Amino acid sequence: MKHLALALALSAAIPGMALAQGREAAKPAAALEAAVRLADWQLGQMHGGTVSRATGETRKPRAWEQAVFWVGMTALADAGAPPRIRRAILDMGAANQWLPGEKPYFADDHVITQSYLWAARNGAGEAARVPARHTFDRVVNEPAIASLAFYVPPEGYGAAECLKRWCWCDALFMAPPALLEMSLQTGDARYRDFAMREFWATTDFLYDPVERLYYRDSRFFERRDAKGRKEFWSRGNGWVFAGMARAIPLLDKDSADRHRMEGLFLQMAARLKALQKPDGYWAPSLLAPEDSPPEASGTAFYTYGLAWGINAGLLPRAEYEPAVRRGWAALQRAIQPDGRLGYVQQVSDRPEKVEPGDTQYYGVGAFLLAATQLAQLDKR
């Protein structure tokens, strides 16, 4: 009788167990499906007409706004997205003739090469690598001589002398992963050595070891809000945190640079986890959460970085997964009825207001990065 009762209990439990296992198995697919839907939406909107506050670079296919979307697309393709995602990346690169952005020393004009170098490994071959290597050779062989202090001259922001170096924290996402990947593909250590030298110069200049956050640039060193708090921009720190998640795997496991960067990543991760709001978002100004709007781009970069840290074995899952889940739930709520990713702060260099309909290519790219790491987390 005991054996019969046990058999009956097991037979009753098995369907429920199978259902639970089915739900677990569906999780990775759900994250990737959400990413593919958003990618398809964005591919249909490459004209830039959905961007609330377009800049002079919004419609330039080699400039950084669109380029970050393509970085996210490479991660999505690697995660097992339909073949059309890979095809879109290759078609974009060919249409751009594999050319970087217009300014050879400007880090923002290097980010598009991250997708080209991915393409070089995924069917496009040497042709996808040559123009970027030509640009990087110039940058490495004739390095810019400039201070990291950010001064905007009368001619305007774009004329700032320090922009030839990495004097703003966003640059740590834009350029280092491309240079590191170029070193791996060519076997030429010059690109890696240059990237690490400049990364640490920028970090030594902009990183606040007390707050464990980066100032956007030197203009913000003395800036305080009405309550005397320092101003740390969410997306600015998101660029750095996500940039490290992309750079660390490209460094030799035993290198001093990798160990140092992993230590920096751990410092930031602990601080960022503590700064997440109860609703899952991070405030546009990280130290000023009260009455702050939802903001999707910084939140996506942090969700990506934290999930990557767990997957890479750097962050304890039990401690950090709740923050990842809250961040992902917030990002899903940011999807608007027409399919766009809303609540993306528009192009800026500091915290600003955010509206539900605000979207941008780079916000979508960050969402795709987050989704791919969430899917990997669910598979573990």
Side-chain angles (χ1 to χ4, degrees), residues 23 25-37 328 332 367 371 374-375 378:
R23 284 173 177 165
K27 281 184 179 179
L32 291 180
E33 286 168 5
V36 171
R37 283 195 301 271
W328 179 244
Q332 291 179 297
F367 183 102
L374 191 88
D378 285 332

Side-chain angles (χ1 to χ4, degrees), residues 64-129:
W64 71 273
E65 295 177 36
Q66 292 192 32
V68 178
F69 165 65
W70 292 109
V71 170
M73 288 282 279
T74 65
L76 185 57
D78 284 341
R84 66 179 181 276
I85 299 299
R86 172 183 175 275
R87 185 73 259 162
I89 302 167
L90 297 178
D91 289 347
M92 173 276 299
N96 286 349
Q97 298 181 300
W98 309 108
L99 292 170
E102 299 168 0
K103 301 175 183 177
Y105 287 91
F106 187 37
D108 285 0
D109 281 345
H110 296 167
V111 65
I112 189 66
T113 68
Q114 295 186 38
S115 60
Y116 299 165
L117 291 170
W118 179 92
R121 286 188 182 272
N122 287 273
E126 181 70 10
R129 185 165 49 239

Side-chain angles (χ1 to χ4, degrees), residues 233-235 237-238 241 272 282 286 298-306:
W233 182 35
S234 178
R235 186 163 69 241
N237 280 274
F241 196 59
L272 291 167
W282 278 264
L286 287 170
T299 296
F301 281 134
Y302 298 140
T303 302
Y304 161 65
L306 293 174

Side-chain angles (χ1 to χ4, degrees), residues 137-184:
D137 281 342
R138 178 178 173 184
V139 171
V140 169
N141 293 335
E142 304 171 30
I145 299 174
S147 165
L148 291 173
F150 204 114
Y151 166 71
V152 179
E155 296 84 357
Y157 181 98
E161 184 180 78
C162 77
L163 292 175
K164 291 183 178 180
R165 292 185 65 197
W166 302 345
C167 66
W168 70 112
C169 70
D170 318 30
L172 300 186
F173 179 94
M174 307 299 179
L179 287 155
L180 294 173
E181 179 64 25
M182 184 66 78
S183 266
L184 289 177

Side-chain angles (χ1 to χ4, degrees), residues 7 47 50 142-143 174 256 314 329 352 372 377 379:
H47 50 73
T50 57
E142 304 171 30
M174 307 299 179
L314 289 176
E352 290 182 350
T372 57
L377 184 64
K379 289 178 180 177

Side-chain angles (χ1 to χ4, degrees), residues 12-354:
I14 285 172
M17 291 167 59
L19 179 60
Q21 290 170 351
R23 284 173 177 165
E24 288 298 313
K27 281 184 179 179
L32 291 180
E33 286 168 5
V36 171
R37 283 195 301 271
L38 183 58
D40 284 339
W41 179 90
Q42 187 65 78
L43 287 169
Q45 308 293 330
M46 297 305 289
H47 50 73
T50 57
V51 175
S52 308
R53 193 170 70 210
T55 72
E57 296 188 316
T58 300
R59 291 178 172 82
K60 293 182 179 180
R62 290 152 45 206
W64 71 273
E65 295 177 36
Q66 292 192 32
V68 178
F69 165 65
W70 292 109
V71 170
M73 288 282 279
T74 65
L76 185 57
D78 284 341
R84 66 179 181 276
I85 299 299
R86 172 183 175 275
R87 185 73 259 162
I89 302 167
L90 297 178
D91 289 347
M92 173 276 299
N96 286 349
Q97 298 181 300
W98 309 108
L99 292 170
E102 299 168 0
K103 301 175 183 177
Y105 287 91
F106 187 37
D108 285 0
D109 281 345
H110 296 167
V111 65
I112 189 66
T113 68
Q114 295 186 38
S115 60
Y116 299 165
L117 291 170
W118 179 92
R121 286 188 182 272
N122 287 273
E126 181 70 10
R129 185 165 49 239
V130 169
R133 190 172 191 182
H134 179 74
T135 293
F136 292 169
D137 281 342
R138 178 178 173 184
V139 171
V140 169
N141 293 335
E142 304 171 30
I145 299 174
S147 165
L148 291 173
F150 204 114
Y151 166 71
V152 179
E155 296 84 357
Y157 181 98
E161 184 180 78
C162 77
L163 292 175
K164 291 183 178 180
R165 292 185 65 197
W166 302 345
C167 66
W168 70 112
C169 70
D170 318 30
L172 300 186
F173 179 94
M174 307 299 179
L179 287 155
L180 294 173
E181 179 64 25
M182 184 66 78
S183 266
L184 289 177
Q185 292 194 20
T186 62
D188 192 331
R190 292 177 306 141
Y191 309 117
R192 180 200 64 216
D193 293 345
F194 175 87
M196 289 298 90
R197 184 169 64 250
E198 290 296 292
F199 181 95
W200 295 121
T202 299
T203 294
D204 291 342
F205 190 59
L206 296 181
Y207 183 65
D208 184 325
V210 175
E211 298 293 350
R212 291 171 287 164
L213 299 169
Y214 281 73
Y215 292 99
R216 197 275 178 177
D217 59 64
S218 65
R219 295 172 299 160
F220 295 86
F221 286 168
E222 307 302 325
R223 189 183 296 269
R224 301 291 185 271
D225 66 14
K227 295 185 177 181
R229 296 172 295 194
K230 301 172 185 177
E231 186 171 284
F232 293 105
W233 182 35
S234 178
R235 186 163 69 241
N237 280 274
W239 289 124
V240 179
F241 196 59
M244 286 195 288
R246 291 185 57 75
I248 289 171
L250 304 178
L251 293 168
D252 185 85
K253 289 184 178 180
D254 297 323
S255 71
D257 285 317
R258 177 156 179 165
H259 291 316
R260 184 180 176 188
M261 194 179 293
E262 287 177 345
L264 178 60
F265 180 87
L266 292 173
Q267 288 181 23
M268 287 193 72
R271 183 67 167 126
L272 291 167
K273 179 171 69 71
L275 291 173
Q276 188 181 33
K277 298 193 299 178
D279 64 2
Y281 291 101
W282 278 264
S285 183
L286 287 170
L287 303 188
E290 67 278 2
D291 302 320
S292 62
E295 203 289 303
S297 61
T299 296
F301 281 134
Y302 298 140
T303 302
Y304 161 65
L306 293 174
W308 174 84
I310 297 169
N311 291 328
L314 289 176
L315 300 176
R317 182 168 188 163
E319 184 177 347
Y320 283 89
E321 185 172 10
V324 171
R325 298 294 175 188
R326 287 192 296 269
W328 179 244
L331 291 172
Q332 291 179 297
R333 296 197 305 273
I335 299 292
Q336 302 299 297
D338 66 356
R340 77 178 64 195
L341 176 68
Y343 291 109
V344 178
Q345 186 189 326
Q346 297 298 281
V347 174
S348 186
D349 56 9
R350 64 197 69 195
E352 290 182 350
K353 68 176 184 178
V354 190

